[in-house]
């Protein structure tokens, strides 16, 4: 006997939370990559300032002073090492060309040299993030696809033949933009990199112009790095939700699911968009990520489940969370709007109603 809609809500929400936890692990790893990159930037700045201090001048004019011949040889060697590291990390060809051009210059100012070093850190960081995210999202798609198929088989009591995923098909999905701006996740990574480099260069030039101490310069650059790090965090969490939704869409169609339902989290963190979408169901022909299916915004916690035109079992329940994150249960057919009207008074939970 097929399970009712409450079953699908519970199981698909559980799957979504598993993907969320997996994404959190990748998010933490990316945070560490940013931390290491910032340490490298800090070291480069300290060395650069020390050289200026040795000349008893840390003004902008001193920063524009041409390198001496013996320093030029050292810088050429560093650029060549950058080129090698870049090629090994699959950094894009445009940046490699810029480095090759830089190594051929006879006169390079100290400030330009430092800007190149800082950009190198950003380029390598972005290449690492793209590679790690590609590998992770590829894996997440497959896991969501097969786990969804398993849950549907268990819930309906009917086993079905399922088309095995292949690498090329998943790569096609990853390369296909799902958001309205027409950008795939890799485009967003490199867009973030370009913005980070511009902001780092601007902050660096301003710090030098003001003659600020190394610590102040590093602190200002750290703030810029933190903004980029948060953007990377938003990206991995949102793209995980999107690729999971795409995998479920694929699976639903393979298994003949005719309708799907939006499932949101019942707590006060849920935004207005998601509140209004909770419980809505649509035919599979209307399954559009960002419009009728989550994610509807960055870090969206919603998901979908199969929808069948049946009655909820008497007494069935779904989970909700109070302000402390504690789980309690409400009727399974309760929408977000009904939940808020019943259990939330103003901004405070009416706990006596939960007893």
């Amino acid at each position: 006997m097929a399970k009712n809609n409450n079953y699908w809500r519970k199981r698909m929400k559980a799957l979504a939370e598993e993907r969320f936890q997996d994404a959190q692990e990748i998010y933490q790893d990316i945070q560490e990559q940013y931390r290491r990159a910032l340490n490298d930037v800090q070291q480069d700045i300290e060395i650069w300032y020390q050289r200026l201090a040795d000349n008893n001048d840390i003004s902008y004019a001193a920063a524009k002073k041409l390198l001496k011949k013996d320093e030029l040889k050292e810088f050429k060697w560093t650029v060549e090492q950058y080129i090698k590291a870049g090629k090994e990390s699959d950094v894009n060809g445009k940046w490699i060309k810029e480095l090759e051009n830089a190594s051929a210059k006879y006169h390079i100012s100290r400030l330009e040299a430092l800007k190149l070093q800082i950009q190198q850190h950003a380029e390598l960081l972005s290449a690492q993030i793209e590679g790690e995210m590609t590998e992770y999202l590829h894996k997440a798609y497959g896991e969501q696809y097969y786990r969804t198929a398993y849950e549907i088989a268990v819930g309906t009591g009917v086993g079905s033949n399922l088309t095995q995923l292949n690498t090329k098909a998943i790569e096609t999905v990853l390369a296909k933009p799902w958001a309205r701006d027409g950008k795939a996740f890799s485009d967003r990574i490199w867009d973030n990199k370009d913005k980070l480099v511009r902001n780092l260069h601007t902050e660096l030039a301003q710090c030098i112009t003001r003659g600020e101490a190394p610590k102040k310069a590093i602190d200002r650059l750290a703030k810029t790095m933190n903004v980029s790090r948060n953007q990377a965090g938003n990206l991995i969490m949102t793209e995980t939700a999107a690729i999971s939704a795409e995998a479920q869409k694929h699976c639903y169609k393979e298994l003949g699911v005719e309708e799907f339902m939006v499932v949101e989290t019942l707590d006060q963190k849920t935004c207005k968009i998601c509140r209004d979408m909770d419980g809505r169901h649509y035919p599979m022909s209307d399954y559009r990520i960002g419009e009728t299916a989550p994610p509807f915004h960055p870090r969206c916690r919603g998901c979908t489940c199969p929808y069948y035109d049946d009655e909820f079992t008497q007494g069935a329940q779904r989970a909700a969370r109070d302000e402390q994150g504690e789980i309690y249960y409400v009727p399974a057919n309760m929408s977000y709007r009904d939940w808020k009207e019943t259990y939330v008074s103003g901004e405070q939970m009416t706990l006596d109603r939960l007893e």
Side-chain angles (χ1 to χ4, degrees), residues 32-44:
E32 176 60 21
Q33 291 181 35
Y34 267 88
R35 187 193 66 78
R36 290 197 296 266
L38 180 58
N39 285 342
D40 290 339
V41 169
Q42 177 177 341
Q43 184 177 22
D44 286 343

Side-chain angles (χ1 to χ4, degrees), residues 117-136:
Q117 288 175 296
I118 287 178
Q119 182 166 351
Q120 174 69 5
H121 297 312
E123 294 282 349
L124 294 179
L125 174 65
S126 298
Q128 290 168 356
I129 291 174
E130 182 181 30
E132 189 168 345
M133 277 190 64
T134 299
E135 181 179 357
Y136 164 70

Side-chain angles (χ1 to χ4, degrees), residues 9 52 99 104 210 213 219 237 256 284 317 352:
R9 260 179 159 156
L52 291 180
L99 290 176
R210 286 188 288 264
D219 287 346
M237 303 305 291
M284 283 302 301
Q317 297 179 314
D352 59 340

